[in-house]
Each structure stands twice: as C-alpha cells, then as structure tokens.
Amino acid sequence: MPIIGFILIGIAAGFLATRLMKIDADIPTTIAIGVFGALIGGLVLRLLIAVMGLMAGLVGAVLGAMALIWAWQTYGGKR
C-alpha cells in the first residue's frame, strides 16, 4: 500500500479515535494520533495473531492426538 494510503487511513483512524474519546484536537494532532496509533495497533495486532496462531496450532495438535488415540483404541484391537 502506498504511503498516501497509510496517511489516509491514519487520518480516518485519528478522526474516529478523537471523536470516540471525545478529545478536541487540531488537524495535525489528529493525523499524528491516527498514524502513530495505526503503527502501534498494527504491531499489537501482529503480536496477537502470532500468539493466537501458536495457540491454535497447539489446540489442533492436541485434538489431532486425541483423535488418533480414539481411533487406536476403537479400531486397533485390544491386546
């Protein structure tokens, strides 16, 4: 995404954030809040996705192991 796209998203994010938080800020401050907030939010979101991705992998691995144990006990023959 070109730099103009990031700036436009930052402007929109800053505008929405200042309105939701009921802060009266001038245009440059609103833009700065939006751009830096987008950078911080992007980093936090990437971290959360990475952690959740690892947790999802663990959950999938445990479910897969449980399914394998069930199939082994059900169809593997009792010894």
Side-chain angles (χ1 to χ4, degrees), residues 1-15 31 34-35:
M1 176 180 275
I3 193 75
I4 294 294
F6 286 120
I7 292 171
L8 290 175
I9 290 173
I11 291 169
F15 176 78
I31 293 170
V35 171

Side-chain angles (χ1 to χ4, degrees), residues 36-46:
F36 289 118
L39 289 172
I40 293 169
L43 291 174
V44 169
L45 186 61
R46 286 182 187 189

Side-chain angles (χ1 to χ4, degrees), residues 45-71:
L45 186 61
R46 286 182 187 189
L47 177 67
L48 286 175
I49 288 172
V51 169
M52 290 306 192
L54 290 173
M55 294 310 254
L58 176 63
V59 169
V62 170
L63 290 175
M66 290 171 60
L68 183 62
I69 291 169
W70 173 81

Side-chain angles (χ1 to χ4, degrees), residues 68-79:
L68 183 62
I69 291 169
W70 173 81
W72 179 37
Q73 287 179 341
T74 304
Y75 302 112
K78 309 286 187 225
R79 293 183 187 179

Side-chain angles (χ1 to χ4, degrees), residues 14-26 29-30 33:
F15 176 78
L16 290 172
T18 55
R19 296 305 173 258
L20 290 171
M21 298 298 293
K22 297 179 179 158
I23 295 173
D24 187 25
D26 58 351
T29 303
T30 300
I33 288 171

